[in-house]
Amino acid sequence: MLKLIDVIADEDDRPVTLEELKKHVQAADFSDDDSQLEIFLDAAIDFVASQTALTLRRSTWRVDRCDWWSGCLNVLLTPARDVAIKYLDAAGATQTVEADLYHWERTKLGTVEIRFLAAFTSPAVKADTFNAVQLEIEAGFDEDPNQTGAGDDPELIFPPRARQAVLMLAASWYRNREASAEAELKVVPLAAAALMGQLRVYR
């Protein structure tokens, strides 16, 4: 099971900024609605992430296993940035697998593929434990890849279509915040829906 264990990016590191949204809704000249805009912006980022299966905010996820595996293990998480493998030894102490004993890569299907190299010897793990082996995967895009050293990796650049979908959604909710019916607030702009459809990672 894939679990979110840490959100690395804080509010100031949103992939779409409050300033961008304020400009989009023509509210750049006043700050009275900033708190509401931030709520809509965070909701829009999370909604686009849920509809596309993309990890829009930099975060760390964990996969727990009861034992080692052979061949390739695929985890749906896009885009992966780094993978660490830990395990509980027979005595229950946490150990870390050296990075040169396994290989990981992103696939065209939106997964991260992880496999052990020939030098790996599968050390004994704590018996009857659901999380005896723990994969920690850092994922997410960069607002400015040059600031994190990821500037040479185009797959980590925040997709322009995702940015536009977030702005459209947040703007729609902001402009219709006085809607009289709950159903009106659930309407997703057709253009935003189309953009999310193009970005969706199919399972």
Side-chain angles (χ1 to χ4, degrees):
M1 179 182 294
L2 190 63
K3 302 177 182 177
L4 175 65
I5 60 174
D6 184 34
V7 176
I8 298 172
D10 58 27
E11 290 185 354
D12 294 332
D13 293 323
R14 293 184 182 97
V16 180
T17 66
L18 176 62
E19 288 69 28
E20 287 179 282
L21 178 57
K22 291 181 67 172
K23 183 177 180 180
H24 186 77
V25 299
Q26 299 180 334
D29 296 333
F30 58 92
S31 59
D32 295 359
D33 292 343
D34 281 9
S35 59
Q36 274 194 322
L37 285 167
E38 286 187 308
I39 292 172
F40 292 134
L41 178 56
D42 285 331
I45 292 170
D46 292 341
F47 185 81
V48 172
S50 70
Q51 295 299 301
T52 61
L54 295 174
T55 305
L56 301 188
R57 300 177 189 265
R58 284 190 63 188
S59 48
T60 303
W61 301 75
R62 192 174 83 190
V63 178
D64 292 330
R65 294 180 55 88
C66 61
D67 207 346
W68 304 108
W69 67 93
S70 60
C72 295
L73 177 68
N74 284 277
V75 179
L76 181 61
L77 200 59
T78 303
R81 304 175 64 95
D82 195 17
V83 175
I85 303 177
K86 300 179 180 180
Y87 65 96
L88 302 178
D89 63 20
T94 300
Q95 308 291 343
T96 301
V97 178
E98 295 294 332
D100 58 0
L101 294 177
Y102 60 92
H103 173 77
W104 70 269
E105 62 181 304
R106 306 182 196 112
T107 73
K108 293 181 179 180
L109 297 177
T111 65
V112 52
E113 183 178 274
I114 309 162
R115 59 183 173 83
F116 291 108
L117 302 180
F120 181 71
T121 56
S122 301
V125 297
K126 187 176 181 181
D128 302 322
T129 306
F130 77 94
N131 62 343
V133 179
Q134 304 164 7
L135 290 83
E136 293 187 0
I137 306 172
E138 182 185 341
F141 295 99
D142 280 332
E143 166 63 19
D144 184 357
N146 294 316
Q147 291 184 356
T148 63
D152 58 347
D153 191 340
E155 293 186 42
L156 296 181
I157 298 174
F158 193 75
R161 286 175 293 179
R163 183 183 308 280
Q164 191 61 33
V166 167
L167 290 171
M168 286 180 175
L169 278 170
S172 176
W173 294 336
Y174 171 68
R175 289 166 179 153
N176 294 285
R177 60 193 182 280
E178 302 297 337
S180 58
E182 183 180 351
E184 294 180 58
L185 291 175
K186 294 182 179 179
V187 174
V188 175
L190 291 177
L195 290 170
M196 289 187 287
Q198 294 172 1
L199 291 165
R200 186 171 295 120
V201 177
Y202 290 94
R203 297 174 185 269

